[in-house]
């Protein structure tokens, strides 16, 4: 794979094959590269995350997850399964290279949406998890917070999404610890996209929109807090203005010029700083798509949601208006789509982080609207059918 | 679904690509740029399977830039095209072939302008004009009819406009806008986007 050569994935796969694989060796190598602390020398360490047991990845990825009579010839010695880093969730399905058939058809039905506006980023989703005609869970959570200023909506296979979100959270936290600043949403999207790339062509299905607010100040202590806040505020103003003109295009060039005009010491410390700050929205799919935009809707109910959102979403919405149109879009989609329904979650991401609205039952919404229509009809005194 | 077109003139290459990023029946983005800048005078236009396009194009892009860093001078368009084709060919019979169709356009100091057509089977052809996508079926005959090797820049843009109007008229899918860029000895120039109103 092309990416293997670039990011030394090949080394990790080589190591994991064979009987004498020692997971701790990878851990040690990682810790050695941390000690040097120079960004350039461990530029590939960002990709030295734990690759799952690679024995099944030795086979064609197309065969994973499909019913097969093939028996694994190279059995894994039991000692290899022991030293799994504890940071991974217990429910990892990395049992053996024996191909496991899927227990039931996986779930893909959902309605999630996210859009940017002047008040930040708004994400909304329904809460129904379906399994080919059965509602497996009416109250699942499809919007998962990744860190204080980043949430991700999930669509596709629920288990895959939950797992990869957790892996992404871990990698972003590691990045923050290593480099002293939060990775931008753009970087997080690229990281997730590259992590999912080896699984292209398999049954893995993750379609996520990452909604975040960029622009945290680095905590290397070089910059005066006041100065960084001013700069942050300035770049946000300019970014917003630029965003108003061109939907969704980040004003990177404008922000850079602002940063360069600031104090000399700040420039010294923030040489590597990416100077974009403001709301950010990316769509990442396990088939490899990675798109930046200002409005996305994903899932089986997304066409219905798109038509509502396209009518009403503008940059200048207030938070209440934006919430109301997001709720309405999810409601209309759940009305028409069999695989979406039950409740609606709304998350709002601003410079101060994400906030969550109380979950609302869409059944109530349906009855409320029916009542409203009835009253309107009575008021008009006409006899429209239905 | 996607459309790429390139026209080579006496001292320039004109390229255009549509702006739609689609996912099954939905247009997810209306302003998506399918052109990748390999160097100051080389553009790679890339369409095909969802993740493969960006992965492959960025891989080529970074490798061309690495060559410049290592050796101090840039790859010529012909060398870049052959490098790209070699990579496509290497991955063709591997477990993970890249399903991408490419146009590489560039200007060389000694060789002049060049337009290279590559497809997912790792074929490579230097051509005076080329197109990818279903739209190519509709527009290649227009290019055959009106192309001359000594087209002026305005005439080339006019020819491009003719092709795009034909797509608007006869192509079943809606491709509302196109990015247009021109490469000559002074580098890559962004030209006015071609936007079509409803027919």
């Amino acid at each position: 794979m092309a990416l293997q050569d670039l990011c030394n994935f090949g080394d990790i796969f080589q190591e994991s094959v064979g009987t004498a694989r020692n997971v701790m060796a990878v851990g040690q190598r990682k810790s050695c590269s941390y000690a040097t602390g120079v960004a350039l020398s461990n530029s590939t360490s960002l990709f030295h995350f734990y690759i799952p047991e690679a024995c099944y990845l030795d086979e064609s990825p197309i065969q994973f997850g499909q019913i097969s009579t093939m028996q694994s010839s190279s059995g894994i010695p039991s000692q290899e399964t022991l030293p799994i880093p504890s940071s991974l969730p217990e429910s990892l399905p990395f049992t053996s290279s024996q191909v496991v058939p899927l227990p039931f058809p996986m779930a893909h039905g959902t309605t999630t949406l996210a859009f940017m506006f002047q008040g930040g980023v708004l994400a909304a989703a329904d809460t129904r998890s379906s399994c080919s005609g059965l509602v497996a869970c009416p109250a699942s959570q499809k919007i998962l917070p990744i860190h204080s200023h980043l949430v991700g909506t999930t669509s596709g296979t629920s288990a895959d999404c939950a797992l990869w979100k957790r892996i992404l959270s871990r990698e972003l936290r590691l990045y923050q610890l290593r480099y002293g600043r939060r990775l931008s949403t753009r970087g997080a999207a690229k990281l997730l996209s590259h992590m999912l790339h080896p699984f292209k062509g398999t049954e893995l299905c993750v379609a996520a929109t990452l909604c975040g607010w960029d622009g945290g100040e680095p905590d290397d202590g070089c910059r005066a807090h006041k100065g960084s806040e001013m700069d942050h505020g300035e770049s946000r103003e300019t970014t917003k203005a630029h965003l108003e003109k061109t939907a969704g295009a980040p004003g990177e060039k404008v922000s850079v010029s602002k940063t360069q005009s600031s104090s000399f010491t700040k420039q010294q410390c923030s040489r590597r700083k990416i100077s974009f700050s403001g709301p950010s929205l990316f769509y990442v799919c396990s088939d490899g798509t990675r798109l930046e935009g200002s409005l996305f809707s994903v899932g089986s109910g997304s066409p219905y949601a798109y038509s509502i959102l396209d009518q009403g979403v503008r940059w200048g919405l207030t938070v209440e208006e934006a919430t109301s149109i997001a709720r309405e879009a999810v409601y209309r989609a759940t009305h028409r789509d069999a695989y979406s329904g039950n409740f609606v979650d709304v998350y709002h991401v601003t410079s101060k982080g994400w906030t969550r609205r109380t979950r609302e039952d869409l059944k109530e919404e349906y009855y409320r609207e029916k009542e409203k229509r009835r009253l309107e009809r009575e008021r008009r005194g006409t006899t429209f059918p239905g | 679904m996607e459309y790429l077109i390139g026209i080579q003139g006496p001292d320039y290459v004109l390229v255009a690509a549509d702006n739609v990023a689609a996912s099954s029946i939905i247009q997810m983005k209306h302003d998506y740029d399918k052109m990748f800048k390999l160097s100051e005078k080389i553009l790679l236009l890339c369409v095909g399977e969802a993740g493969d396009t960006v992965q492959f194009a960025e891989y080529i892009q970074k490798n061309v830039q690495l060559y410049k860093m290592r050796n101090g001078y840039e790859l010529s368009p012909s060398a870049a095209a052959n490098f790209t084709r070699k990579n496509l060919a290497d991955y063709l019979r591997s477990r993970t072939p890249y399903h991408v169709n490419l146009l590489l356009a560039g200007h060389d100091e000694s060789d002049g302008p060049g337009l290279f057509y590559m497809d997912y089977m790792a074929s490579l052809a230097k051509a005076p004009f080329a197109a990818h996508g279903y739209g190519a079926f509709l527009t290649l005959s227009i290019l055959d009819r009106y192309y001359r090797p000594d087209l002026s820049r305005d005439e080339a843009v006019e020819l491009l406009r003719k092709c795009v109007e034909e797509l608007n008229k006869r192509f079943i899918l809606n491709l509302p806008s196109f990015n247009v860029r021109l490469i000559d000895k002074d580098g890559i120039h962004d030209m006015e986007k071609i936007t079509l109103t409803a027919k």
Side-chain angles (χ1 to χ4, degrees), chain B residues 61-128:
Chain B
Q61 190 181 42
K62 302 315 172 197
N63 271 289
V64 169
Q65 287 167 2
L66 181 64
Y67 184 94
K68 181 181 177 185
M69 282 182 219
R70 279 191 182 146
N71 302 297
Y73 60 91
E74 291 183 337
L75 274 172
S76 70
S78 165
N82 278 287
F83 170 70
T84 310
R85 190 213 72 85
K86 178 81 168 52
N87 268 288
L88 269 174
D90 287 340
Y91 284 104
L92 182 63
R93 294 189 197 281
S94 72
R95 263 176 19 208
T96 57
Y98 286 104
H99 199 290
V100 290
N101 294 318
L102 309 162
L103 284 182
L104 191 142
H107 189 281
D108 193 25
E109 273 179 25
S110 42
D111 297 333
L115 177 67
F116 297 87
Y117 171 102
M118 279 170 275
D119 74 358
Y120 68 100
M121 304 245 83
S123 64
L124 169 68
K126 185 171 191 304

Side-chain angles (χ1 to χ4, degrees), chain A residues 103-282:
Chain A
F104 42 75
M106 289 298 175
H108 297 258
T110 188
T111 306
T112 66
L113 59 95
F115 58 89
M116 285 204 288
F117 67 111
Q118 56 82 21
V121 191
L122 207 72
D126 74 309
T127 60
R128 174 177 293 182
S129 279
S130 55
C131 274
S132 71
L134 165 72
V135 176
C137 176
S140 53
Q141 183 155 12
K142 299 193 187 178
I143 307 188
L144 302 171
I146 296 174
H147 62 62
S148 61
H149 286 73
L150 181 65
V151 301
T153 69
T154 64
S155 165
T157 315
S158 325
D160 286 330
C161 289
L163 171 68
W164 285 101
K165 282 285 159 61
R166 286 193 64 159
I167 294 181
L168 183 66
S169 308
R170 185 194 65 193
E171 291 304 320
L172 293 184
R173 180 66 182 144
L174 285 172
Y175 184 95
Q176 186 178 7
L177 290 170
R178 282 173 210 165
Y179 300 108
R181 63 180 180 87
R182 279 200 307 268
L183 186 56
S184 64
T185 316
R186 173 188 295 271
K190 194 142 192 181
L191 184 59
L192 183 61
S193 177
H194 283 182
M195 288 200 285
L196 293 175
H197 182 72
F199 299 95
K200 190 174 153 97
T202 66
E203 296 269 347
L204 188 135
C205 182
V206 172
T209 59
L210 298 178
C211 325
W213 188 284
D214 300 330
E217 31 329 293
D219 5 85
D220 51 4
C222 293
R223 319 170 61 201
H225 253 294
K226 188 152 176 257
S228 70
E229 270 171 28
M230 266 179 7
D231 182 51
H232 178 86
E234 275 171 8
S235 1
R236 207 164 3 113
E237 295 300 320
T238 346
T239 315
K240 261 173 21 196
H242 191 84
L243 277 162
E244 270 181 81
K245 286 183 228 148
T246 65
E252 278 188 56
K253 293 184 207 132
V254 183
S255 301
V256 165
S257 62
K258 285 255 182 258
T259 315
Q260 284 174 350
S261 65
S262 56
S263 67
F264 180 63
T265 45
K266 212 193 286 186
Q267 213 175 4
Q268 268 183 328
C269 303
S270 55
R271 210 169 299 138
R272 270 183 308 130
K273 175 166 120 60
I274 300 170
S275 8
F276 168 70
S277 73
S280 199
L281 181 57
F282 279 84

